[in-house]
Amino acid sequence: YDKYADSQDEVVNAVVKRVEKGGVYLDIGRTEAFLSAGEMMPTESFRPGDYVKVYMLEVRRASSGPQILVSRTHPGLVRRLFELEVPEIRNGVVQIHAVAREAGFRTKMAVSSLADDIDPVGACVGQRGARVERIVEELKGEKIDIVRWSPGPAQFIANALSPAHVLTVWADEEQKAARVLVPDSQLSLAIGKEGQNARLAAKLTGFKIDIK
């Protein structure tokens, strides 16, 4: 317990030991961790011997001994993977402000830079997309949209609806609600398949978004 209690919210490398109906038991070094079916991405399956990165969700005491619960669906996994992959995030120049995720399908992440000469989106994407591609590969093809964070809610909401082009945003900070105007040709893109783009943008910004 003492060894792993401080590892909560971190990413660790694991090896699949055995697969059961309720989840997967993993070898994380000196002990075993449990990845429940509810914390697995719906797009992936495991076999004994597979290597996988997992997010340390909880280390808790139990009557049978310490239990370590891990996740593949938590937004913190994406955040930590980018910290590992992008030096500019590790040294604090590029900051991650928010992550919204529908695990296995799509993530939106908002970033900013403390240095004028460093593009935060470009730093996360990497040369020819190399950095983000390694994370997409680790997440079994999950799509990742990296958008620029803005202190102004209207601009942030417009950025969050990327790749759609937004004409105007009216944001009510008190009500945490926004009305967004897009060209007719961009409406389906702004809403996304089954509403996913708009849903993730709302989760990322904390605003209820009405798109017209």
Side-chain angles (χ1 to χ4, degrees):
Y1 178 85
D2 291 338
K3 177 174 172 56
Y4 289 99
D6 292 337
S7 297
Q8 278 187 209
D9 303 324
E10 297 298 329
V11 167
V12 295
N13 293 311
V15 181
V16 176
K17 285 183 72 175
R18 63 187 187 278
V19 179
E20 297 186 359
K21 190 175 182 181
V24 178
Y25 286 89
L26 306 166
D27 183 351
I28 59 169
R30 288 188 176 182
T31 190
E32 201 173 67
F34 182 64
L35 176 65
S36 71
E39 295 296 335
M40 290 168 56
M41 297 192 297
T43 53
E44 65 184 351
S45 58
F46 296 104
R47 292 177 299 182
D50 285 349
Y51 288 87
V52 64
K53 285 184 169 67
V54 291
Y55 180 78
M56 297 282 279
L57 199 61
E58 186 182 0
V59 182
R60 66 188 182 196
R61 299 184 189 276
S63 56
S64 57
Q67 287 186 327
I68 298 174
L69 306 179
V70 296
S71 175
R72 288 276 292 169
T73 63
H74 196 283
L77 176 62
V78 176
R79 182 185 289 268
R80 292 301 188 200
L81 288 175
F82 271 98
E83 287 175 0
L84 292 170
E85 191 64 48
V86 181
E88 292 88 345
I89 294 176
R90 284 200 304 278
N91 63 31
V93 176
V94 171
Q95 297 184 323
I96 300 173
H97 289 266
V99 178
R101 188 176 183 209
E102 293 190 357
F105 302 102
R106 192 170 184 179
T107 283
K108 282 185 182 284
M109 185 174 80
V111 295
S112 69
S113 175
L114 297 177
D116 293 338
D117 59 336
I118 293 179
D119 170 24
V121 175
C124 293
V125 171
Q127 193 169 17
R128 296 181 181 175
R131 289 173 175 175
V132 73
E133 193 55 45
R134 283 191 283 270
I135 294 169
V136 168
E137 191 175 324
E138 174 62 38
L139 298 177
K140 311 298 184 191
E142 184 173 319
K143 182 176 170 58
I144 300 176
D145 298 338
I146 303 165
V147 303
R148 190 181 289 265
W149 177 83
S150 173
Q155 185 60 57
F156 185 25
I157 290 163
N159 295 349
L161 286 167
S162 172
H165 172 62
V166 171
L167 295 175
T168 311
V169 178
W170 295 273
D172 184 333
E173 292 190 63
E174 197 172 299
Q175 298 293 326
K176 285 289 181 181
R179 291 182 64 200
V180 177
L181 189 67
V182 300
D184 288 348
S185 62
Q186 297 286 299
L187 184 60
S188 60
L189 191 62
I191 294 170
K193 186 178 180 182
E194 297 177 351
Q196 188 182 65
N197 194 58
R199 194 164 56 245
L200 283 172
K203 196 182 293 186
L204 190 72
T205 60
F207 276 71
K208 182 181 178 182
I209 300 173
D210 181 29
I211 303 171
K212 301 290 185 186

